[in-house]
Amino acid sequence: MDRRTFLNNLIQLSAATTAAGAVVAGFAEENKDKPLTLRPPGALPEDEFIKTCIRCGLCVEACKNRDNKMIVNGKEIDTLFLAAPGDKAPIGTPFFIARTGPCFMCDDIPCMYACPTGALTPKECQNDKGEVAIDYAKMGVAAIDPSSCIAFWGLQCTACYRACPELDKAITIEWKQNKRTGKHAYRIPVLHEEYCTGCGMCEMACVTEKPAIKIFPREVFLGKAGDRYVKGWDVKDQQRVKKASTKTTTKTPWSKKNPIQNLNQGVNWNE
Amino acid sequence: MNKIFKNRYLILRRLSQFTILFLYFAANYWGWKILIGNLSFSKLFNTIPLTDPYAFLQMLFAGAIISSNLIIGLVVILLFYGIIGGRAYCSWVCPVNLITDLAAWVRRKTHHEKDNLLSAMKIKKFRYAFLVIMLIFSAVIGAAAYEFINPIGFFTRGVAFTLGFTWVWLLVIFIFDAFVLKNGWCGHICPVGATYALIGAKNLIRVYHTKDNCTNCGNCFAICPENQVLSPVITKKDDFIHGIECTNCGRCIEVCNDNALKFSLRNFIKGEKNEKNSSN
């Protein structure tokens, strides 16, 4: 082979591999970006999870062959699945759909301990003291749509409240007077994210045609107040902002005037 | 009986491939603890981990923290295929081989084995370049990039877990192999096969060729999915098939009517002597 053919072949080979590689990588990049995927308990943050999960399915196998099998109307409810092409999760990775197969929160957490790679790890399923239990899982967080939740209409429901494994902690019922009738009460479900594991039992139990309470991944649904706002009555919250930087950058320049001057601006006191 | 003997390795291979798929299926559906997981990572008898070396490499490049389980599994695989199996993974374990063998059969039956849409000569080194580029892209996107399209993973997950639209991709590979490029996927593209070729480059079990028995009939060339490994040896010298891309499928042994080929243990010292003699 002379030098010319060699170089020609080399260029063609590089071009072909780069093109093919870019197509595959482009597909992978697009496919891995499915922010609404609900992961098993103990999952690493999504960025890390997608790197670390080898897609072996040991968690799904452990979930399928768990001890506390849930049978509804003679049919066993499967929770975890490995995403096949066409599913709403990155290909090959484990996920669950809360409406049809929520996490039943086994005490022994078989799926998490089955993981060989550490994509599911007890470190992501523990409280501040380092105690590992399924109650400290953070699979997601429930969110209520008040417009379709019949409790907000004034109807008696509390299905989600009673389905919740963290009973009276993650969802509480708030009583309010129903002024429309004058003699009835609203019994409104109120969510407390610090106790919510995101198991999805409430979403499965919800009586409306399309669930009025839904599970979202925590990073999708939860906001962040930032260091600028603090609960002045809460010692713990004050600890949070202890290390906050006082140097803040703003997009528009700071006003040179003092606040009183600023407030009085444009008011003519002589009139 | 003779027919069974003539296809002994093919039957054993199919048995091996289907047994593995069945065990994965049984692990998920009935909780058998013989072989659980899939071909990315499995556990044998619920203790011995087995790691796909290419998935491991991609995870490494993507920047994942590698667990001890994966490393032990990788060592097991490297020892087994590096010393014994060679590239046997491709023909004895991988289920995509079922599809591409079927495609090769269709090719032979429809008598267009040499009609390729792509030039087979031009892309013969493609898989090794593709192997490297997918590692680079894994680092770029921060995830094991090839695992998103890896048909081996698709197939085993489809059997053991959910099928979904997996069959579309497998059908594409069948069509590609049968009508676009001979032995296209396994022999030119698949970086997992390329990884196993590199791992098994110095293994012990190889096909041995006896020159005196060979009648130059060309049967082995016609059946071999990687027949570039045959050409330096067949009809030329008494030697092992040293080419790293040989999958140890044993088809050449079965189609040879002259007893010129057999499985044997490769002896490196003797092999080197032979080469010296032939070059002199």
Side-chain angles (χ1 to χ4, degrees), chain B residues 220-238:
Chain B
C220 51
F221 278 95
I223 201 84
C224 181
E226 301 272 2
N227 55 26
Q228 74 277 11
V229 304
L230 296 178
S231 32
V233 180
I234 303 291
T235 74
K236 295 193 181 83
K237 56 188 175 185
D238 287 345

Side-chain angles (χ1 to χ4, degrees), chain A:
Chain A
M1 197 193 299
D2 62 21
R3 205 167 72 159
R4 191 182 195 85
T5 349
F6 174 75
L7 280 176
N8 251 339
N9 286 352
L10 190 69
I11 289 167
Q12 282 183 341
L13 183 68
S14 327
T17 33
T18 314
V23 170
V24 175
F27 171 73
E29 177 68 27
E30 199 59 23
N31 186 267
K32 82 184 172 83
D33 190 24
K34 301 215 169 166
L36 294 180
T37 310
L38 293 176
R39 297 295 187 195
L44 293 172
E46 187 63 21
D47 278 3
E48 292 298 313
F49 184 85
I50 203 87
K51 276 180 202 172
T52 318
C53 174
I54 199 166
R55 301 136 206 256
C56 64
L58 291 190
C59 53
V60 179
E61 191 271 339
C63 180
K64 175 109 183 158
N65 297 297
R66 64 183 185 266
D67 292 332
N68 68 337
K69 285 192 177 153
M70 208 53 69
I71 292 156
V72 174
N73 297 335
K75 214 179 161 228
E76 192 186 322
I77 297 182
D78 293 332
T79 300
L80 284 184
F81 290 98
L82 270 199
D87 282 332
K88 287 176 180 161
I91 286 171
T93 56
F95 73 106
F96 69 96
I97 298 166
R99 181 64 159 169
T100 49
C103 174
F104 294 102
M105 293 183 45
C106 316
D107 286 332
D108 53 346
I109 329 177
C111 51
M112 186 177 79
Y113 288 109
C115 182
T117 65
L120 305 178
T121 161
K123 282 176 198 149
E124 297 285 336
C125 195
Q126 62 188 17
N127 63 0
D128 300 338
K129 293 170 195 155
E131 298 161 337
V132 179
I134 187 64
D135 303 278
Y136 308 129
K138 294 285 172 210
M139 290 173 273
V141 63
I144 300 164
D145 168 23
S147 68
S148 55
C149 176
I150 56 168
F152 282 79
W153 297 3
L155 304 184
Q156 170 78 276
C157 179
T158 66
C160 55
Y161 169 78
R162 282 175 283 117
C164 181
E166 302 292 319
L167 186 65
D168 221 21
K169 283 196 278 184
I171 300 174
T172 55
I173 295 294
E174 193 176 305
W175 294 65
K176 272 187 195 163
Q177 190 194 358
N178 187 345
K179 285 191 176 138
R180 183 179 61 79
T181 64
K183 51 190 166 188
H184 297 98
Y186 287 115
R187 297 179 70 197
I188 308 278
V190 179
L191 208 113
H192 305 278
E193 66 83 18
E194 66 269 34
Y195 293 109
C196 181
T197 62
C199 68
M201 302 278 261
C202 52
E203 183 173 335
M204 186 168 81
C206 186
V207 298
T208 53
E209 190 179 316
K210 207 175 149 192
I213 185 163
K214 285 198 193 75
I215 307 295
F216 291 94
R218 297 178 74 84
E219 55 272 34
V220 172
F221 182 74
L222 293 179
K224 190 187 172 197
D227 293 343
R228 198 169 290 188
Y229 303 96
V230 61
K231 296 172 191 164
W233 58 92
D234 185 345
V235 182
K236 210 174 155 194
D237 202 48
Q238 284 165 7
Q239 292 294 320
R240 174 174 67 87
V241 293
K242 216 167 186 185
K243 284 178 189 163
S245 164
T246 47
K247 283 177 192 165
T248 48
T249 51
T250 51
K251 280 178 188 162
T252 48
W254 287 89
S255 170
K256 295 268 186 324
K257 295 173 184 168
N258 71 42
I260 308 250
Q261 262 181 312
N262 206 39
L263 282 169
N264 295 345
Q265 205 174 28
V267 181
N268 194 346
W269 293 102
N270 293 336
E271 275 182 9

Side-chain angles (χ1 to χ4, degrees), chain A residues 12-13 17 21-22 24-25 27-29 31-32 51-52 54-58 61 64-65 82 84-85 91-92 116-117, chain B residues 27-28 31 33 37-38 40-41 59 62 64 67 69 122 129-130 134 137 141-142 148-149 154 157 161-163 165-166:
Chain A
Q12 282 183 341
L13 183 68
T17 33
V24 175
F27 171 73
E29 177 68 27
N31 186 267
K32 82 184 172 83
K51 276 180 202 172
T52 318
I54 199 166
R55 301 136 206 256
C56 64
L58 291 190
E61 191 271 339
K64 175 109 183 158
N65 297 297
L82 270 199
I91 286 171
T117 65
Chain B
N28 189 31
K33 298 285 180 200
N38 64 39
S40 309
F41 180 92
M59 285 170 68
S67 71
N69 259 319
K122 275 268 167 71
F130 193 53
M134 285 326 295
F137 275 117
I141 69 165
F148 285 88
I149 64 149
F154 276 43
R157 285 195 301 268
F161 302 102
T162 29
L163 186 63
F165 284 107
T166 299

Side-chain angles (χ1 to χ4, degrees), chain B residues 59-80:
Chain B
M59 285 170 68
L60 205 64
F61 273 73
I65 297 157
I66 304 291
S67 71
S68 55
N69 259 319
L70 289 191
I71 295 169
I72 298 166
L74 181 73
V75 171
V76 172
I77 291 291
L78 289 182
L79 286 178
F80 180 74

Side-chain angles (χ1 to χ4, degrees), chain B residues 43-49 69:
Chain B
K43 267 193 172 168
L44 192 59
F45 305 119
N46 214 9
T47 42
I48 307 165
N69 259 319

